[in-house]
Amino acid sequence: LVEEVAAAAPSAGFRLTAARREPAVRLQHGVSGLEPLAWSEDHRVSVSTARSIAVLEQLSDVHSGGQEMVIHRTAVPAPAAACLLRVGPKKEVAECKEKFANSVDPTVSQTFMLDRVFNPEGKSLPPMRGFKYSSWSPLGCDANGRCLLAALTMDNRLTIHANLNRLQWVQLVDLTEIYGERLYEARYKLCKADTPRGELGDFAEFQRRHSMQTPVRMEWSGICTTQQVKHNNECRDVGSVLLAVLFENGNIAVWQFQLPFLGKESITSCNTIESGINSPSVLSWWEYEHNNRKMSGLIVGSAFGPVKILPVNLKAVKGYFTLRQPVVLWQEMDQLPVHSIKCIPLYHPYQKCSCSLVVAARGAYVFWCLLLISKAGLNVHNSHVTGLHSLPIVSMTADKQNGTVYTCSSDGKVRQLIPIFTDVALKFEHQLIRLSEVFGSVRTHGIAVSPCGAYLAVITTEGMTNGLHPVNKNYQVQFVTLKTFEEAAAQLLESSVQNLFRQVDLTDLVRWKILKDKHIPQFLQEALDKKIESCGSTYFWRFKLFLLRILYQSMQKVPSEVMWKPSHEDAKILISDSPGMGSTEDDQEEGTSKQASKQSLGDTDDTADDSLPQSSDVGGREPMEEKLLEIQAQIEAVEMHLTREHMKRVLGEVYLHTWITENTSIPTRGVCDFLMSDDGYDDRTARVLIGHILKKMNKQTFPEHCSLCKEILPFTDRKQAVCSNGHIWLRCFLTYQSCQSLVYRRCLLHDSIARHPTPEDPEWIKRLLQGPCTFCDSPVF
């Protein structure tokens, strides 16, 4: 099998051209922990450092004309106080610590003093600061429908954080504290049948109680559905997510959280599984779908080499099944530590069914295992890919959309492994990416691939220069492109997700290309127009709006200098001008201001144009202004189309959910009149829907009233409402109600505003208010 699977030289079809993407983000502190880099589904990169988790959020900003990536930076600070695991009553623990520290037996005293789990504060040793590991939940878990961040500190505190207002991270729950309390109440027994192990004064028992609550890794499952029984015995589906936490003694705690996760009250259950693996090192979820039956399990790797899947019984989870017994993927105790595991769902082209590819980094090798369920049962094919790196693999990441795996060693070499199915199992095509060719001489500490596979984020420090190591290390997060513009555009056009926000890495590549070339490529325009004609999806209209907005930004003149910076150009030019040129002082000043404005408009590199008369300059600008006005008109037309489509959706909800239309606070009559006001707009669906609604309203209007003067608020504009006394209220883009409060929400790219849901709102209005922006698909805060 090894010869069969050993990767051949990469074929021409898989050639990768990696390019640098600015900016490089400098970190304030050195990185810490294993796998310090993680990229979430909602395009946030977390970096574990010695003082905090730095979070870099990638935005595809349509309002920015700069070609660099737009990155919003926040941080999750490390707790100030050290985490002391709960192993017994405080007084008894203090007495035991004093006893072990002063023990005559050096094996007890030295083991106790040097163990950082027992002594996280340090005392004679440096304090344990920083983060060991971080893990992102799937999209849709917090109150805003985004990802949660599980963070594990060096001193073993496991917490869950949410970024609810985009500027500040909030700790929602401390799982280490809750798990410690549960163990304390259960007298440190996993089940009632367990016999008591001994007293805390026994050093072996003291160690056991610590190891059973010292987290090694934690990983989130996908979102699953549970059934909740209401008071009237009705069942309703509730979303939930699982967090598996691997402990030092081999136990795994599986926490179940109800969504959206708000804190301690959202914890549904916690079950502990015994894995039977000594020195566990890494964890990953195995989620497999076969004939509409969902299988789940946990893949656990050991520091000694073995890898196996454990069954997980999920109580009250719809449609989930598990293995009857553990499945050993690799059993050799070959002392090659497993330090990273990725599980990738794929489709088998020969067997015509879904399968799972498990990839694990073991030393300098990549262990792979193909899992396939057939009529005969579970088929397991496994082998190793060798000869990839001369040094151990420090980080591994995978693009789950196409199964491509990336590995890197500390010498700045990244390997791309592409799985190719064969009749028997699979083989890997692989090629080398030398980061030294992109960034110069660097050392690498971690890599992560973006959700749609467009970018690779890399943590780098300076490499050796002239055979010497650098005096100081500057940690940076740098970005490398993995796809071309054409590949990104094709993927966006054929997207099954049909959501621009979830594909920010791809849209950023498209944005970069348009800003550089100052035009939308012809093939993309034609392909998009065909999609719009053949498919009624508003996604392609939003994609068109995005392209037009970027094109508009690319046409704008960008000031070459920072606007707030004081300029001393005028004084210098006035001094250098000779007074004997026959021009007055006013003329000189006028000429100076013209020259300065010309420089600020970015025309400094074309010096030959300075001698041209002003009329030709104006004549050259007129076509550009006409082009901008044309693009602006196209943008307004697309925005109006999207607004009308959303209005139809809102009216559909009004018709379905209101028996008497006065019960709704939505300005139904105003929206109907707005839709029918344009004679050029002829939509049969809208006409029929409006006819039904007006029949239901029976000539009644139910207008909105201004809360300041009680005058009627007419519906003349989709963005704002103005009463006869001139009071202006912004309109909610999700429900078209006027936001008559000073507190409202905005979408991520500041396209539109939305009101907050109120307790009086019916369920269908609350559901409308949970929607994303109708122009850019971004969530609303």
Side-chain angles (χ1 to χ4, degrees):
L1 252 176
V2 175
E3 286 78 26
E4 206 171 87
V5 174
S11 61
F14 294 115
R15 283 286 169 202
L16 176 72
T17 51
R20 183 175 186 157
R21 185 79 170 96
E22 296 293 348
V25 181
R26 186 168 172 176
L27 300 172
Q28 294 172 317
H29 307 286
V31 297
S32 60
L34 294 168
E35 295 284 350
L37 203 58
W39 205 318
S40 73
E41 285 179 23
D42 61 354
H43 304 278
R44 292 186 282 190
V45 181
S46 64
V47 192
S48 303
T49 74
R51 290 290 180 274
S52 64
I53 294 178
V55 182
L56 315 174
E57 182 175 0
Q58 184 191 3
L59 301 175
S60 191
D61 195 354
V62 291
H63 309 296
S64 166
Q67 289 184 24
E68 290 189 342
M69 282 172 76
V70 181
I71 291 173
H72 180 255
R73 185 168 176 166
T74 50
V76 181
C83 174
L84 297 169
L85 300 177
R86 185 161 188 185
V87 292
K90 282 186 179 179
K91 189 179 177 184
E92 191 182 345
V93 170
E95 288 170 0
C96 289
K97 283 188 172 184
E98 186 71 24
K99 172 187 161 187
F100 298 141
N102 299 316
S103 172
V104 182
D105 186 353
T107 57
V108 173
S109 60
Q110 288 186 20
T111 304
F112 173 79
M113 293 301 288
L114 294 174
D115 195 311
R116 301 315 304 268
V117 178
F118 305 149
N119 297 297
E121 294 142 312
K123 294 183 180 173
S124 57
L125 299 167
M128 295 286 281
R129 291 294 301 273
F131 287 86
K132 192 187 292 186
Y133 189 64
S134 65
S135 177
W136 290 100
S137 77
L139 195 63
C141 290
D142 76 355
N144 290 323
R146 300 192 73 188
C147 300
L148 296 164
L149 181 64
L152 178 60
T153 61
M154 283 290 194
D155 57 4
N156 304 304
R157 189 194 302 270
L158 175 58
T159 49
I160 296 176
H161 302 260
N163 179 213
L164 300 175
N165 61 5
R166 293 204 62 236
L167 296 174
Q168 182 185 10
W169 285 86
V170 179
Q171 181 181 307
L172 297 178
V173 71
D174 184 339
L175 292 181
T176 298
E177 185 185 334
I178 296 169
Y179 195 68
E181 284 174 7
R182 289 187 176 213
L183 288 174
Y184 179 72
E185 288 166 8
R187 299 179 62 82
Y188 299 92
K189 297 187 291 184
L190 290 179
C191 59
K192 291 177 182 177
D194 273 5
T195 53
R197 298 293 182 94
E199 295 300 319
L200 189 62
D202 181 8
F203 190 58
E205 175 63 12
F206 187 80
Q207 283 179 308
R208 185 186 79 89
R209 289 189 187 182
H210 275 91
S211 69
M212 72 190 299
Q213 52 182 317
T214 304
V216 177
R217 287 280 178 101
M218 66 286 175
E219 294 294 341
W220 297 89
S221 74
I223 292 176
C224 45
T225 309
T226 54
Q227 283 196 331
Q228 192 180 61
V229 181
K230 290 184 179 180
H231 297 298
N232 58 357
N233 285 336
E234 277 185 19
C235 283
R236 73 179 185 117
D237 291 346
V238 177
S240 66
V241 70
L242 305 166
L243 180 69
V245 184
L246 177 65
F247 293 105
E248 208 175 60
N249 68 342
N251 290 349
I252 300 168
V254 181
W255 296 86
Q256 187 172 9
F257 305 129
Q258 188 176 316
L259 299 180
F261 184 77
L262 303 171
K264 199 171 180 179
E265 66 273 15
S266 298
I267 298 172
T268 309
S269 65
C270 177
N271 299 309
T272 304
I273 305 166
E274 293 186 59
S275 72
I277 285 188
N278 295 323
S279 295
S281 59
V282 68
L283 178 76
S284 181
W285 278 94
W286 175 61
E287 291 173 319
Y288 184 91
E289 196 162 343
H290 174 66
N291 291 344
N292 297 323
R293 289 163 61 94
K294 291 176 182 175
M295 303 280 288
S296 69
L298 283 165
I299 310 165
V300 185
S302 166
F304 297 139
V307 181
K308 71 177 180 181
I309 303 180
L310 301 173
V312 179
N313 289 309
L314 306 179
K315 291 177 183 176
V317 177
K318 283 176 68 179
Y320 270 79
F321 299 86
T322 192
L323 302 164
R324 290 177 187 164
Q325 57 192 17
V327 176
V328 178
L329 305 182
W330 185 256
Q331 61 181 1
E332 299 296 326
M333 298 279 281
D334 49 17
Q335 306 300 315
L336 281 176
V338 184
H339 117 87
S340 181
I341 294 178
K342 303 292 175 193
C343 183
I344 308 158
L346 294 173
Y347 180 78
H348 201 300
Y350 298 105
Q351 303 290 336
K352 301 282 189 285
C353 66
S354 57
C355 58
S356 291
L357 175 63
V358 177
V359 188
R362 301 180 71 243
Y365 313 122
V366 170
F367 165 77
W368 66 266
C369 182
L370 188 68
L371 299 165
L372 187 74
I373 294 178
S374 66
K375 291 175 182 175
L378 182 67
N379 297 326
V380 179
H381 300 273
N382 62 17
S383 185
H384 281 78
V385 184
T386 59
L388 296 173
H389 297 278
S390 54
L391 292 172
I393 294 166
V394 295
S395 186
M396 183 174 72
T397 183
D399 178 0
K400 293 197 174 181
Q401 291 199 335
N402 57 16
T404 307
V405 178
Y406 298 89
T407 60
C408 89
S409 53
S410 60
D411 57 0
K413 289 175 183 171
V414 176
R415 284 275 179 183
Q416 181 195 42
L417 289 90
I418 300 161
I420 295 164
F421 286 96
T422 62
D423 292 336
V424 182
L426 43 79
K427 63 178 183 178
F428 284 94
E429 290 265 358
H430 65 79
Q431 60 179 310
L432 181 65
I433 307 169
R434 292 181 191 275
L435 294 178
S436 57
E437 293 172 4
V438 185
F439 304 126
S441 176
V442 289
R443 289 179 70 83
T444 43
H445 304 271
I447 56 172
V449 72
S450 63
C452 298
Y455 289 118
L456 186 74
V458 191
I459 301 175
T460 63
T461 52
E462 295 87 342
M464 291 178 72
T465 52
N466 299 326
L468 298 172
H469 289 283
V471 178
N472 298 313
K473 278 186 181 179
N474 294 309
Y475 289 89
Q476 289 185 316
V477 179
Q478 308 212 54
F479 297 92
V480 179
T481 62
L482 298 175
K483 289 186 190 294
T484 62
F485 161 74
E486 290 77 14
E487 288 170 330
Q491 201 169 325
L492 283 164
L493 286 168
E494 300 302 325
S495 167
S496 58
V497 178
Q498 300 219 337
N499 184 297
L500 291 175
F501 171 71
R502 292 184 66 176
Q503 303 174 91
V504 162
D505 49 342
L506 296 173
T507 59
D508 186 72
L509 271 179
V510 172
R511 173 182 168 272
W512 186 27
K513 173 77 172 174
I514 295 171
L515 287 172
K516 275 197 298 185
D517 296 352
K518 299 190 186 304
H519 76 275
I520 301 169
Q522 190 67 28
F523 84 91
L524 179 56
Q525 275 187 328
E526 290 171 0
L528 189 55
D529 289 340
K530 276 184 188 174
K531 287 280 184 185
I532 286 171
E533 283 174 26
S534 62
C535 173
S537 171
T538 55
Y539 164 73
F540 297 110
W541 284 93
R542 289 194 297 275
F543 188 22
K544 184 177 182 177
L545 177 63
F546 169 78
L547 295 177
L548 288 170
R549 284 168 153 189
I550 298 302
L551 181 62
Y552 185 80
Q553 285 297 331
S554 72
M555 297 288 184
Q556 299 276 44
K557 293 284 188 179
V558 182
S560 62
E561 290 188 357
V562 184
M563 299 305 285
W564 55 263
K565 222 175 197 176
S567 173
H568 305 294
E569 292 279 331
D570 295 3
K572 288 177 185 174
I573 292 164
L574 281 171
I575 290 164
S576 62
D577 280 346
S578 64
M581 293 298 287
S583 60
T584 62
E585 192 173 323
D586 290 344
D587 288 339
Q588 284 178 356
E589 283 180 5
E590 193 182 344
T592 303
S593 63
K594 278 178 194 170
Q595 194 171 344
S597 66
K598 192 162 187 180
Q599 285 181 347
S600 72
L601 288 171
D603 294 339
T604 51
D605 43 355
D606 199 336
T607 52
D609 287 348
D610 289 346
S611 59
L612 292 173
Q614 193 180 351
S615 60
S616 69
D617 197 27
V618 172
R621 262 202 295 265
E622 278 174 0
M624 181 63 79
E625 286 173 9
E626 286 174 14
K627 183 77 175 168
L628 282 171
L629 288 170
E630 185 188 325
I631 296 166
Q632 209 163 3
Q634 288 179 323
I635 288 170
E636 284 169 9
V638 176
E639 282 184 355
M640 185 54 75
H641 175 83
L642 289 167
T643 301
R644 285 171 177 153
E645 289 300 308
H646 187 65
M647 280 180 171
K648 279 159 56 180
R649 188 188 159 213
V650 172
L651 289 177
E653 294 282 341
V654 169
Y655 183 70
L656 286 174
H657 292 99
T658 54
W659 182 245
I660 306 166
T661 44
E662 65 182 304
N663 290 343
T664 175
S665 54
I666 286 175
T668 312
R669 174 77 68 171
V671 173
C672 291
D673 293 345
F674 184 84
L675 272 177
M676 302 311 291
S677 61
D678 187 359
D679 297 332
Y681 177 64
D682 185 26
D683 187 330
R684 189 173 178 277
T685 313
R687 249 188 295 122
V688 171
L689 179 63
I690 288 167
H692 284 307
I693 286 172
L694 294 182
K695 192 176 179 183
K696 202 178 198 183
M697 289 183 78
N698 194 19
K699 296 182 182 179
Q700 297 176 85
T701 53
F702 312 118
E704 291 182 294
H705 291 274
C706 175
S707 61
L708 293 178
C709 62
K710 308 303 177 193
E711 288 293 323
I712 288 174
L713 285 171
F715 197 106
T716 53
D717 188 354
R718 61 188 171 86
K719 289 184 178 178
Q720 61 183 26
V722 186
C723 76
S724 56
N725 290 326
H727 298 131
I728 300 173
W729 302 106
L730 295 172
R731 284 203 178 277
C732 168
F733 76 97
L734 291 169
T735 61
Y736 300 105
Q737 296 161 299
S738 56
C739 299
Q740 299 200 39
S741 66
L742 298 175
V743 183
Y744 49 79
R745 302 177 297 149
R746 294 193 79 169
C747 80
L748 189 66
L749 297 183
H750 291 183
D751 267 334
S752 354
I753 70 127
R755 71 178 185 85
H756 284 276
T758 59
E760 305 87 58
D761 286 333
E763 282 299 316
W764 63 274
I765 286 189
K766 286 179 181 173
R767 197 169 61 249
L768 271 176
L769 289 168
Q770 287 172 354
C773 177
T774 50
F775 297 140
C776 61
D777 283 332
S778 65
V780 186
F781 294 91

